[in-house]
Amino acid sequence: MMKMLLVDESKKVFPTIQSLFEKEFDISRLEPELLKEKMSAKDEAPDFILFVSMGNIPDTYLKMKEMRQCWPKTVTILILPTICSQKELGNTVIPVHRIIFKPCSKQLVMMAVEDFSALLSDSLEPRQDEMILCCLLEFIGANMPLLYVSYNRVMPLIMNLCKKVGYDWRPVKKVFALYLLMLSRLDEEMLNGMMSGEKRSPSLLKKIYEHIAKMVDLLRMDEATQDIADDLKYVLKKFDGSGFPSDDVKGMDIPASSRIIRLLFDYHHLLQQGKSTGEALFVLDQRSKWYDDVLLHAFIDILGDAGKNRIRTVYPLGLTTGMEIAEDVYGVIDSKKRKILSCGEILTEETIDYLQRHSEDILDITEPIKISDALL
């Protein structure tokens, strides 16, 4: 049974964590003020640490950094009940495997633990080359936060997607790790352009491919690494054959590892732009012929309801029939607040006509209305 350590500055979470994971983990609780003593004791490292932080960002950053240095192999999940998004962290990149922002739901915590539990369970006896790659990425990531964030977000997704479609995840993990190591050799401007969520121009992608191609040529010189060379070569290739390199390879002739990494890395890039899960998958779904449909649909499926719908806002004049309301809509009628539309309601012509005629007078609806768009 794997060991889980909970450090809870809120002093409220332990009963919930225990009820969620007591059948799968040996759970222990540590008072925050005893953390330094625990680390200095050099006891056996836990498999998981759940840290609930109520402090300021600089203090939290230092605590997480010390924990990672003490227990480098431990999966660290940081729960921030008082912070709503990555934007509130500013330029601070906290060195943990996953951050859960407010609202910190049970479902988000369970998904985070499940992602990394699977990764740990299948990695109990890693091969030496895999261990070296992981250590290199941990070392490089300490000085390249954008690369570190990408590694920790995409690696669990690789495992879950591969299991969903019946692929061996280990070769894909190795290709992705090598791909990130190659990107780490880019200059700072190119690396930021590739990893930060900024728009990636064709000229930038061409330069990155040329950089990768040099390593591909070296890997091709040894029979043991020829297959990996092909996988790396086609990471920037789209399913329809466009992209890099400019050759005739397309569709299922593109290696599976390349197709998986292209999809998941593009998803990561969209999240870096500030898009939600649903918004990011909506964009991927609209990019006709960029991705393997089987992989894309499986990926949407494993992300659950959050990945199957995109939430957007529309003012009353932009409403059309068939739209689904994403949350209850209230208006003011005769000085009293009343529900006008219910979450999940499908708009009809009559409803839209009524809203458009009265949105600014009788109803007093001054905000746009949230609409849910199904991706598939």
Side-chain angles (χ1 to χ4, degrees), residues 282-326:
F282 182 84
V283 173
L284 296 180
D285 191 53
Q286 294 300 301
R287 292 173 174 172
S288 177
K289 301 179 181 179
W290 280 37
Y291 312 109
D292 180 342
D293 274 347
V294 173
L295 293 177
L296 177 59
H297 294 174
F299 185 45
I300 291 172
D301 190 51
I302 64 175
L303 290 176
D305 291 339
K308 294 179 181 177
N309 295 278
R310 176 188 70 148
I311 306 300
R312 60 189 176 103
T313 56
V314 179
Y315 281 94
L317 288 176
L319 297 172
T320 58
T321 56
M323 285 183 171
E324 180 181 344
I325 301 301

Side-chain angles (χ1 to χ4, degrees), residues 61 86 90-96 137-153 180 184 188 191-192 195-196 268 272:
Y61 170 82
Q86 181 72 36
N91 295 323
T92 303
V93 178
I94 302 176
V96 294
L137 283 168
E138 286 280 345
F139 177 74
I140 293 170
N143 297 310
M144 295 183 173
L146 289 173
L147 186 146
Y148 190 79
V149 169
S150 172
Y151 176 71
N152 282 322
R153 176 181 284 152
L180 290 182
S184 73
E188 186 175 356
L191 181 65
N192 287 339
M195 309 287 283
S196 67
H268 165 74
Q272 289 296 97

